[in-house]
Structure formats: C-alpha cells, structure tokens
C-alpha cells in the first residue's frame, strides 16, 4: 500500500507540469494553423517564453517527465508510419544514395563541429538532425547522449535550426529541382533525401506533382527508418566511453542495450509491415506520435531560455548550415551519377 501511495503521489505531482506543456502545445498548433509555419517551432518558442516555469516546484516534475518520457514515446510511435514494403519499393540505387547520404552527413557534422571547436555531441546532434528527420532525430539522439550542462542547450539549438532550415529548404528546393529539370522521380528523391522534417518534405514534394510527392514521402520514411540504426550505434559508442565522459550508471544496474523507445519503433515497423495494423489504428498512432512530439518539444523549450540559446553563438548555426549544404550537394551529385548509369 505504501508503494502504491508513493506512486500515486508522484503521478499527482506531475499533472501541473504536464497540463501546462499540453496547453502550450495546443496553443502552438492553433497558431500554426491560423498563420502557417512549423508547429514544432512555435512550440519551442512559446515554451521558451515560459522558461521560468521549469524551475517552479509545482510544474518542474511534469515538465521533466514530458521532456523525457512523453518525447521518447512520440519518437517510438513514428514506427507506425513505415513498412518494409515501402522501403523495398525504392530500389537499391535510391536506397544506397539515402544510406550514404545519412552516414556521410552524420560524419560531416562531427568533423565540422571539431573544426569549429564545438563538442562531438553537438556534431552528432547537428549531423543526425540534418541526415534523418530534423527535430525528432535530434531529440532521439539527445536521449542517449551523456548528461551534461550543455546537452539541453545544444539540443534546443539543433531543433530550432533544423526546423528553420527545413522550412527554407521546403520553399527553395522545389525551385532547385525545377531549375535542374529533374524528372519527377528524381525530384522526389532529391526532396525526400535532403529536407529535414517530414511535413516539409510532403509539402515540397506534392508541389511538384503526385509522382514527386509519393517518391519524396517514401524516401523520407526510409531516412526516418534509419533513425533506429543511428541511435543504436550512438548508444553503443556512448556506453563504451569512460564513465567520467559518458556519465553512465553503475554497471551493476541492468540496462537494455537498446533504448526502450527504439524497441517500440522497430516493433511497430514490424507489426505494420506484417499487415497486423488496421488503417484506423495506424492513423491513431501517427496522431499520437505528433501529439507526444509536440508536448515533448514544448517541454524542451521550457527547459532552455532564450538567453541560453543566444549564448551558443554563431558556431552551431554554421555547423547546421554546413551539414544542410553537404547533404543537398551529396544527393544532387549522386542523382546525377545515377541518371547516367
């Protein structure tokens, strides 16, 4: 009984912060619907305006729970959008282009971060956000990085910059595809292989027609499916680091070798691929994922102040711009080669 009362008291203590994050997230979605723009960016900025609430004893536990638990649940539910058949339909050439683009962009992030005298973790966040799926990838990677005083600020920088650059790419890249006279199929590969966030890929792709939109969406989902591989790899590397660097817990405490939200991600991909998921359930899980991500991103914004973000300086912006240009040029170069095979 005492354990039950302790747990119920803990859940009750979470509600003020959880409710606050949910209300701000709903407001961000409403503003985005009224005026246009990425809802996650609105959620981040509106959450940051309530930064002081992240230190209030009444709301701090709930904000922390949203940033850790709710956010990871949203990432795991992304698996409901992907099937193995969708990935196979792209063909090996497109698959190879996407895989090489993702790997090279993550490496580019780490190398450019070192050149700019930024931390290796900031390089992974920037490279992963650019290479895979923008804000969601940055949040997933941050979940397995060592805990330090800069992690939340670096994560917020990566999320904000990825969202802004993704919006710019959504407007600019269809014009680039048109100027280069790319066929609809390869235009879709370019858009789906380079734009950061899923929503912006869909808008940009279908602005060039149905074939380009379908291809861009599937290519983007392939990039999203690589999230589990990249995060698992980073998790394994972090666990092998010295404890004073990785800030890992005692080895006597058992931990899954793979974060739980990635197990959920892979499981949902398998269930969806096997045809065991109804359309209504798939749509419900996709909506649940978006809702959890919005609430989690809002909590992330609340945990970091505008002043802290400004103190990051110009280097994170230069880093994100470098990784964005790299993946765009890499995919365009690979498409040029593939078209002449």
């Amino acid at each position: 009984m005492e354990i039950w009362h302790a747990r119920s008291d803990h859940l009750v203590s979470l509600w003020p912060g959880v409710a606050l994050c949910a209300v701000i997230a709903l407001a961000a979605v409403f503003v985005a619907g009224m005026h246009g723009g990425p809802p996650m960016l609105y959620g981040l900025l509106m959450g940051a305006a309530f930064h002081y609430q992240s230190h209030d004893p009444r709301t701090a536990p709930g904000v922390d729970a949203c940033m850790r638990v709710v956010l990871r649940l949203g990432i795991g539910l992304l698996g409901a959008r992907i099937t193995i058949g969708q990935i196979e339909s792209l063909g090996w050439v497109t698959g190879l282009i996407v895989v090489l683009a993702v790997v090279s962009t993550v490496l580019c992030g780490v190398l450019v971060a070192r050149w700019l005298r930024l931390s290796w973790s900031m390089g992974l966040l920037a490279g992963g956000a650019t290479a895979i799926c923008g804000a969601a990838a940055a949040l997933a990677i941050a979940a397995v990085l060592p805990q330090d005083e800069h992690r939340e600020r670096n994560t917020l920088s990566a999320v904000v910059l990825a969202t802004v650059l993704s919006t710019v790419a959504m407007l600019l890249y269809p014009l680039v595809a048109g100027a280069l006279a790319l066929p609809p199929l390869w235009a879709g590969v370019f858009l789906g292989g380079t734009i950061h966030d899923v929503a912006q890929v869909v808008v940009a792709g279908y602005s060039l027609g149905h074939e380009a939109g379908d291809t861009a969406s599937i290519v983007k989902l392939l990039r999203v499916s690589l999230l589990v591989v990249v995060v698992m790899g980073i998790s394994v590397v972090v666990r092998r680091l010295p404890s004073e660097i990785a800030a890992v817990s005692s080895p006597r405490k058992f931990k899954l070798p793979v974060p739980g939200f990635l197990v959920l991600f892979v499981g949902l991909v398998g269930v969806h691929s096997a045809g065991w998921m109804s359309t209504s359930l798939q749509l419900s899980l996709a909506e649940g994922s978006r809702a959890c991500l919005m609430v989690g991103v809002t909590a992330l914004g609340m945990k970091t102040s505008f002043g802290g973000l400004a103190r990051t300086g110009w280097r994170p912006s230069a880093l994100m711009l470098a990784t964005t240009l790299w993946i765009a040029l890499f995919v365009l170069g690979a498409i040029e080669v593939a078209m002449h095979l």
Side-chain angles (χ1 to χ4, degrees):
M1 287 295 293
E2 291 182 3
I3 296 176
W4 169 254
H5 285 303
R7 289 182 176 178
S8 62
D9 290 342
H10 176 65
L11 290 175
V12 169
S13 71
L14 299 180
W15 276 112
V18 172
L20 178 61
C21 291
V23 169
I24 297 173
L26 286 171
V29 172
F30 176 77
V31 172
M34 290 288 293
H35 301 287
M40 280 193 180
L41 182 58
Y42 285 114
L44 276 168
L45 297 177
M46 293 172 71
F50 289 85
H51 170 65
Y52 66 95
Q53 288 287 345
S54 66
H55 302 294
D56 191 312
R58 294 170 298 177
T59 53
V63 173
D64 288 338
C66 287
M67 194 180 72
R68 294 182 289 103
V69 180
V70 178
L71 190 55
R72 296 182 187 190
L73 176 61
I75 296 166
L77 292 176
L78 282 174
R81 305 180 62 172
I82 302 168
T83 66
I84 296 173
Q86 290 173 329
I87 297 171
E88 290 177 342
S89 68
L90 295 173
W92 71 270
V93 173
T94 301
L96 182 62
I97 291 173
V98 172
V99 170
L100 291 178
V102 168
V103 173
S104 65
T105 303
V106 173
L107 292 176
C108 175
V110 175
L111 293 175
V112 174
R114 183 176 180 182
W115 182 65
L116 291 172
R117 297 193 297 276
L118 293 169
S119 66
W120 61 270
S121 58
M122 184 65 211
L124 285 175
L125 286 168
T130 304
I132 305 172
C133 52
L139 297 168
I141 292 170
V144 298
L145 287 177
Q147 177 65 53
D148 59 43
E149 67 273 18
H150 303 299
R151 188 177 73 169
E152 291 172 4
R153 188 175 66 189
N154 288 343
T155 304
L156 183 65
S157 297
V159 169
V160 170
L161 292 168
T163 305
V164 171
L165 289 171
S166 183
T167 303
V168 173
M170 176 187 70
L171 301 173
L172 183 62
Y173 286 6
L175 301 178
V176 172
L180 296 175
L182 293 177
L185 174 65
W186 290 112
V189 171
F190 169 59
L191 298 175
T194 56
I195 298 176
H196 305 52
D197 291 327
V198 176
Q200 281 88 332
V201 168
V202 173
V203 173
Y206 284 104
S207 70
L208 295 180
H210 188 75
E211 183 181 357
D214 287 348
T215 303
S217 300
I218 296 173
V219 169
K220 183 59 184 177
L221 290 178
L222 172 57
R223 287 170 67 195
V224 174
S225 70
L226 294 175
L227 175 66
V228 63
V229 179
V230 172
V231 177
M232 281 179 60
I234 293 172
S235 178
V236 170
V237 170
V238 167
R239 289 174 185 276
R240 292 178 180 273
L241 292 174
S243 59
E244 62 270 14
I245 299 176
V248 295
S249 60
S250 171
R252 285 177 287 182
K253 183 180 177 181
F254 174 76
K255 275 192 171 185
L256 283 172
V258 180
F261 66 91
L262 292 184
V263 176
L264 175 62
F265 185 100
V266 173
L268 288 175
V269 171
V271 171
H272 194 189
S273 300
W276 299 338
M277 187 181 296
S278 65
T279 302
S280 60
L281 177 59
Q282 192 271 331
L283 292 174
S284 297
L285 292 176
E287 287 297 327
S289 174
R290 280 190 283 270
C292 290
L293 287 174
M294 274 301 305
V295 172
V297 165
T298 300
L300 176 65
M302 293 176 67
K303 291 289 289 184
T304 307
S305 66
F306 285 119
L309 182 60
R311 286 193 294 271
T312 61
W314 60 270
R315 288 183 174 85
S317 299
L319 172 61
M320 287 292 296
L321 183 60
T323 55
T324 299
L325 290 174
W326 169 262
I327 195 170
L329 294 174
F330 182 93
V331 172
L332 280 175
I335 287 174
E336 184 68 21
V337 172
M339 288 175 63
H340 290 86
L341 287 178

